[in-house]
């Protein structure tokens, strides 16, 4: 499959001051949606970790503005809107979708797409995507490491009306709640998503009252502006083709390495990203829908260009992306895909950044932890499901050290605070600390990974979807590699991808990878080394 944005747009007739005002107003709508969703959610995964994203689209399905949430969500949202546009939406409709082969990413990411029609004419769409802690399937948390088909991963929803012309579709709601382990929590989180989308319609109505038809000129103008800014940035890159290759450490069914390869071609104001040479789709669940691969590429393009450029449809127009149908990055159904969204997306980011390091060496960091360290603990009776992505090391940067204990690349979530976790679940946090000496050495040190140890106070199922347990985060420009991650259950090592039934009193420990170092370690400032020792970041 390929994705090339070639539609030409004409700069709208709107003065720069008005454009800046309207751009900020549109972005504030997307941000306010996110605030409503987070405040209204019930599950700690959305309320505390903020594993959710919100965005605003025009009537043609072009992204106008997005809140600064989860990269892997946001780049894939246009596909969800595109699917809804094929369903002949009408004012008052709210569609729900999570099908990875028709607008989704993986099944736990449930998307609501609502029409925006303040005067009974559709002028846009409000979109919220949230990771629901359980959507059914063969294991609590809906992320079974050994899944071979999507049917094992949970309830699969094509774009269907959750609200039809303003009237709730109780049959669809009942169908969803009958197929999940924690229905009360799911219903509350869906209500929060609906409230977020409704707030967007309210605010856009106010903007129409204030600006009239000028608002529609602004839709075109903000997209034109971002496209022009991105194209100008890309023209500054040296033309050429840049390549990189890395591997994933088994698919949950076998331990065989899975290659991910990329060729990035810069030609004037255009970037072409080709994943030829990447593995065919695999038996396990690391297959990534093409929308996920696109999200990773879009994130990298934004990472190497001016962060002040407004994020919208225009940012993606100069970028074309291709992957072979039936490959790891464009699998055919019924492939299992739940790990592709969380782990394969990270490796796509890694190789695309590594390829571009040759073009922009003063921008690209060394390899970050390269995994989300997915930990799911729940009971099969449906009493609770805890989900966490655990932070690790950010790669050393060209001018400074990497950050310690942060989310890297395709996720941007917070942690679940210890107090919230222990209040909501039968779990007890035993240890939560940085891992000394886990960052790669270099002129600029890689960030440290962390250790999070949790004791389960009831019989439960523990599922792990992790990476970088065999292949370390890479150093750059002579820097050392970051430390490997480790998974332990009662002190015994377990595989990177595993599902284990445990008894009450079992302790699960996740030690996350550090970031790679940047530059020759011999060139590190002696004062910085002394500070590392004093702060306990390295062990004597």
């Amino acid at each position: 499959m390929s994705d090339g944005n070639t539609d030409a747009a004409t700069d709208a007739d709107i003065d720069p001051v008005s454009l800046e005002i309207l751009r900020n107003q549109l972005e504030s709508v997307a941000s306010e949606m996110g605030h409503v969703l987070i405040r209204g959610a019930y599950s700690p995964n959305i309320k505390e970790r903020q594993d959710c994203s919100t965005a605003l689209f025009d009537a043609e399905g072009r992204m106008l503005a997005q809140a600064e949430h989860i990269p892997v969500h946001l780049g894939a949202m246009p596909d969800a809107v595109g699917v809804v546009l094929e369903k002949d939406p009408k004012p008052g409709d709210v569609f729900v979708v999570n099908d990875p082969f028709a607008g989704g990413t993986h099944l736990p990411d449930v998307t609501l797409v609502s029409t925006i029609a303040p005067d009974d004419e559709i002028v846009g769409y409000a979109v919220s995507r949230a990771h629901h802690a359980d959507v059914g399937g063969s294991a609590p948390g809906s992320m079974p490491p050994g899944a071979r088909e999507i049917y094992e991963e949970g309830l699969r929803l094509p774009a269907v009306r959750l609200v039809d012309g303003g009237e709730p579709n109780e049959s669809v709601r009942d169908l969803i709640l009958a197929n999940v382990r924690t229905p009360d929590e799911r219903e509350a989180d869906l209500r929060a998503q609906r409230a977020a989308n409704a707030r967007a319609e309210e605010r856009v109505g106010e903007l129409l009252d204030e600006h009239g038809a000028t608002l529609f000129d602004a839709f075109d103008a903000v997209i034109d502006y971002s496209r022009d800014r991105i194209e100008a940035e890309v023209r500054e890159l040296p033309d050429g083709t840049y390549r990189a290759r890395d591997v994933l450490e088994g698919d949950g069914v076998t331990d065989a390495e899975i290659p991910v390869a990329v060729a990035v071609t810069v030609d004037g104001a255009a970037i072409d990203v080709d994943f030829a040479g990447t593995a065919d789709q695999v038996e396990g669940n690391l297959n990534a829908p093409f929308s996920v691969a696109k999200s990773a590429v879009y994130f990298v393009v934004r990472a190497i260009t001016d962060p002040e450029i407004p994020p919208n449809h225009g940012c993606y127009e100069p970028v074309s992306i291709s992957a072979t149908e039936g490959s790891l990055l464009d699998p055919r159904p019924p492939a299992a895909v739940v790990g592709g969204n969380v782990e394969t997306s990270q490796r796509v980011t890694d190789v695309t950044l590594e390829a571009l390091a040759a073009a922009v060496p003063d921008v690209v960091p060394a390899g970050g932890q390269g995994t989300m360290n997915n930990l799911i603990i729940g009971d099969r009776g449906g009493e609770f499901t805890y989900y966490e992505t655990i932070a690790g090391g950010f790669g050393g940067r060209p001018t400074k050290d990497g950050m310690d204990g942060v989310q890297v690349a395709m996720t941007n979530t917070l942690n679940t605070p210890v107090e919230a976790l222990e209040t909501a679940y039968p779990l007890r946090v035993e240890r939560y600390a940085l891992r000394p000496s886990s960052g790669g050495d270099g002129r600029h040190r890689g960030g440290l990974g962390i250790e999070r140890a949790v004791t389960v106070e009831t019989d439960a199922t523990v599922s792990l979807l992790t990476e970088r347990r065999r292949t370390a985060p890479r150093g750059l420009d002579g820097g050392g590699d970051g430390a490997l991650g480790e998974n332990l259950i009662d002190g015994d090592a377990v595989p990177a991808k595993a599902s284990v039934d445990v008894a009450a009193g079992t302790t699960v420990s996740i030690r996350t990878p550090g970031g790679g170092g940047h530059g020759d370690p011999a060139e590190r400032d002696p004062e910085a080394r002394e500070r590392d020792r004093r702060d306990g970041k390295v062990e004597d």
Side-chain angles (χ1 to χ4, degrees):
M1 182 179 289
S2 65
D3 183 76
N5 296 300
T6 57
D7 293 339
T10 303
D11 290 342
D13 184 16
I14 185 170
D15 68 89
V17 174
S18 297
L19 173 60
E20 186 67 8
I21 292 170
L22 284 159
R23 177 184 70 80
N24 279 280
Q25 289 180 317
L26 292 171
E27 290 180 5
S28 73
V29 173
S31 295
E32 187 175 353
M33 289 174 65
H35 295 318
V36 171
L37 172 53
I38 291 163
R39 288 199 305 269
Y42 182 82
S43 66
N45 192 54
I46 300 172
K47 180 176 288 295
E48 301 289 352
R49 292 187 59 246
Q50 301 183 16
D51 195 347
C52 58
S53 299
T54 53
L56 192 64
F57 288 73
D58 71 2
E60 299 173 30
R62 300 179 302 171
M63 183 185 286
L64 299 172
Q66 63 187 48
E68 293 183 357
H69 289 148
I70 313 299
V72 76
H73 289 176
L74 293 164
M77 275 187 177
D79 288 355
V81 179
V83 169
V84 166
L85 288 174
E86 296 173 359
K87 301 291 184 178
D88 193 23
K90 59 184 179 296
D93 283 351
V94 179
F95 287 82
V96 59
V97 59
N98 74 345
D99 186 352
F101 300 103
T105 50
H106 66 174
L107 297 181
D109 284 345
V110 178
T111 303
L112 295 194
V113 180
S114 303
T115 58
I116 298 177
D119 296 317
D120 292 326
E121 180 179 351
I122 295 175
V123 298
Y125 297 88
V127 185
S128 58
R129 176 166 285 174
H131 184 117
H132 286 247
D134 186 275
V135 290
S138 64
S142 311
M143 299 181 72
R148 297 169 184 253
E149 296 179 315
I150 194 170
Y151 309 117
E152 301 175 63
E153 297 178 338
L155 178 66
R156 182 177 168 194
L157 295 165
V160 293
R161 286 177 171 87
L162 186 63
V163 178
D164 189 348
E167 294 297 322
N169 189 335
E170 304 292 349
S171 296
V172 170
R173 186 205 65 179
D174 292 346
L175 176 66
I176 293 171
L177 299 182
N179 283 277
V180 301
R181 290 180 177 83
T182 47
D184 291 344
E185 189 175 88
R186 299 287 66 74
E187 185 173 25
D189 287 346
L190 286 170
R191 281 201 305 266
Q193 287 185 255
R194 285 181 55 189
N197 289 13
R199 181 63 59 87
E201 182 170 51
E202 178 185 345
R203 293 291 184 249
V204 170
E206 293 170 357
L207 292 178
L208 276 170
D209 290 342
E210 179 180 355
H211 300 289
T214 301
L215 182 64
F216 302 118
D217 292 337
F219 289 177
D220 292 328
V222 295
I223 290 171
D224 293 344
Y225 176 75
S226 292
R227 183 198 62 244
D228 293 346
R229 289 282 306 278
I230 287 286
E231 287 181 342
E233 296 263 321
V234 174
R235 286 192 186 96
E236 295 298 315
L237 303 177
D239 286 354
T241 297
Y242 308 95
R243 302 178 186 275
R245 184 183 184 278
D246 204 339
V247 297
L248 292 160
E249 302 166 341
D251 64 357
V253 175
T254 76
D255 290 332
E257 292 185 343
I258 305 164
V260 179
V262 70
V264 182
T265 299
V266 180
D267 183 9
I271 294 181
D272 176 76
V273 181
D274 184 0
F275 290 102
T278 294
D280 292 339
Q281 71 183 70
V282 295
E283 191 174 7
N285 68 13
L286 288 191
N287 302 293
F290 189 55
S291 60
V292 171
K294 290 192 295 183
S295 287
V297 171
Y298 295 152
F299 166 80
V300 170
V301 171
R302 294 309 319 276
I304 67 167
T305 53
D306 186 349
E308 297 300 319
I309 297 173
N312 59 48
H313 178 82
C315 295
Y316 310 142
E317 288 189 356
V319 184
S320 58
I321 306 163
S322 57
T324 303
E325 185 179 357
S327 72
L328 181 77
L329 302 182
D330 189 13
R332 300 184 182 97
V337 299
V338 72
N341 184 66
V342 290
E343 295 301 300
T344 306
S345 66
Q346 296 284 74
R347 198 63 70 252
V348 172
T349 303
D350 287 347
V351 296
T352 308
L353 276 171
E354 184 176 342
L356 284 166
V360 280
D362 57 340
V363 173
V364 174
Q369 69 161 340
T371 175
M372 295 191 195
N373 302 295
N374 301 272
L375 171 63
I376 308 99
I377 304 175
D379 74 314
R380 295 188 178 277
E383 293 299 318
F384 79 99
T385 303
Y386 158 71
Y387 172 64
E388 186 97 51
T389 57
I390 305 175
F394 192 95
R397 293 167 282 182
T399 60
K400 61 182 71 174
D401 291 348
M403 294 174 283
D404 304 321
V406 295
Q407 300 287 3
V408 172
M410 295 306 289
T411 186
N412 192 32
T413 57
L414 303 179
N415 71 169
T416 305
V418 172
E419 299 84 355
L421 186 154
E422 294 184 343
T423 299
Y425 307 113
L427 304 172
R428 185 174 69 253
V429 177
E430 305 286 357
R431 179 174 174 80
Y432 193 28
L434 295 172
R435 293 180 65 197
S437 299
S438 55
D441 200 1
R443 183 186 310 112
H444 301 292
R445 180 185 52 76
L448 301 182
I450 67 174
E451 180 175 3
R452 191 167 174 99
V454 179
T455 294
V456 187
E457 297 181 327
T458 184
D459 295 351
T461 298
V462 175
S463 295
L464 297 162
L465 269 174
T466 63
E467 277 284 322
R468 295 300 191 199
R469 270 53 182 173
R470 299 199 314 252
T471 58
R474 293 173 179 172
L476 188 62
D477 193 27
D481 292 345
L484 294 172
E486 298 178 88
N487 303 333
L488 306 170
I489 293 182
D490 280 342
D492 295 327
V494 295
K497 300 164 186 70
S499 187
V500 182
D501 290 330
V502 301
T506 300
T507 298
V508 182
S509 300
I510 308 298
R511 297 172 181 167
T512 68
H518 195 293
D520 186 349
E523 298 177 4
R524 185 160 179 76
D525 186 341
E527 292 185 6
R529 290 202 178 278
E530 177 57 33
R531 185 171 61 249
D532 292 341
R533 286 190 290 271
R534 187 172 62 248
D535 293 344
K537 291 189 174 183
V538 297
E539 296 171 322
D540 293 331

